[in-house]
Every structure is written in structure tokens, then in C-alpha cells.
Amino acid sequence: FNLSVPTALMFLPRFFKVAGLEKKEIQELTNYLVELTLQDYKYLKYVPSHLAAASLYLALKVSNHPWTPTLVQYTSYSDVALRGCVKEMEETARAASTRTLTAVFKKYSLPKFSEAARLIANAL
């Protein structure tokens, strides 16, 4: 048997499929936000599925896509339930380029990752 602890990244493929997202840009934005949460203790209060849903919510918001009833059903999180986590993620994303830990920001600033860090920094 190969057992492991679920992480937020494990929930994202399912959420992308439910959302019908084939755009790499939104997927990279979501991955970037999830990876940013790994650097901060304040996100330990959220379960991995909540972090995945909140990161997708914020990526969709930045890309002008709605949080649909289908996403609410499959993630089990309404936009109201995600608000607190999304607000914290926005603050973390705004400060990402000036923090002492900038590896994730630099990684997601590359064209290979759709320049997700720059896209979200400009949108917030």
C-alpha cells in the first residue's frame, strides 16, 4: 500500500475538470496560489480541499470567470465560505514579490508557467 496525506494540489485536477477548465493560464494561477500557501503557517487552519477551492475561486475571479453552482456542489464550498481564505490569499499574493521567500514568485514569473505570478500581481 502507498498511503500519503492529501494536499491541496491533489484536489485541483478534479476541480479543473468540474469547472471545464482547459486554459493553462487559470490552472497555473491556481497552482501558484496553492504553492504560496505552503510558505505560510496561517494556512494550516484550512483543510487541503478548502485551500484548493479558494485558490481556484481567486484564479477564476482574476480571470473574470464565475464561481458556478456546479463548483459549489463538487467542492462543497460556497463563495461566502471561501471569503476569509481568499482574502488572506490576496494579501499573500500581493506581498509575494517582496517577501524573503521569493522562489515560488520567481518560478511562476517565467513564461513556462504562463507568468502567473505577474498576472495575479497586476490584477490585485
Side-chain angles (χ1 to χ4, degrees), residues 80-99:
V80 175
L82 295 172
R83 248 181 229 150
C85 187
V86 168
K87 184 177 178 186
E88 290 181 26
M89 281 185 180
E90 286 175 344
E91 293 167 3
T92 301
R94 271 191 216 104
S97 64
T98 59
R99 296 176 64 149

Side-chain angles (χ1 to χ4, degrees), residues 11-75:
F11 289 91
L12 292 180
R14 172 79 172 147
F15 292 171
F16 292 151
K17 186 175 182 179
V18 167
L21 290 176
E22 295 179 13
K23 291 181 76 174
K24 185 180 176 192
E25 180 182 292
I26 296 174
Q27 292 178 3
E28 294 297 355
L29 285 170
T30 306
N31 288 333
Y32 168 61
L33 291 166
V34 167
E35 285 193 37
L36 279 179
T37 66
L38 296 173
Q39 298 177 339
D40 204 328
Y41 285 115
K42 69 182 174 186
Y43 294 103
L44 290 175
K45 63 187 169 191
Y46 300 108
V47 295
S49 62
H50 193 112
L51 288 173
S55 63
L56 178 57
Y57 178 91
L58 184 53
L60 289 171
K61 179 180 163 187
V62 166
S63 303
N64 295 316
H65 288 80
W67 186 251
T68 65
T70 304
L71 283 167
V72 172
Q73 179 184 352
Y74 281 91
T75 64

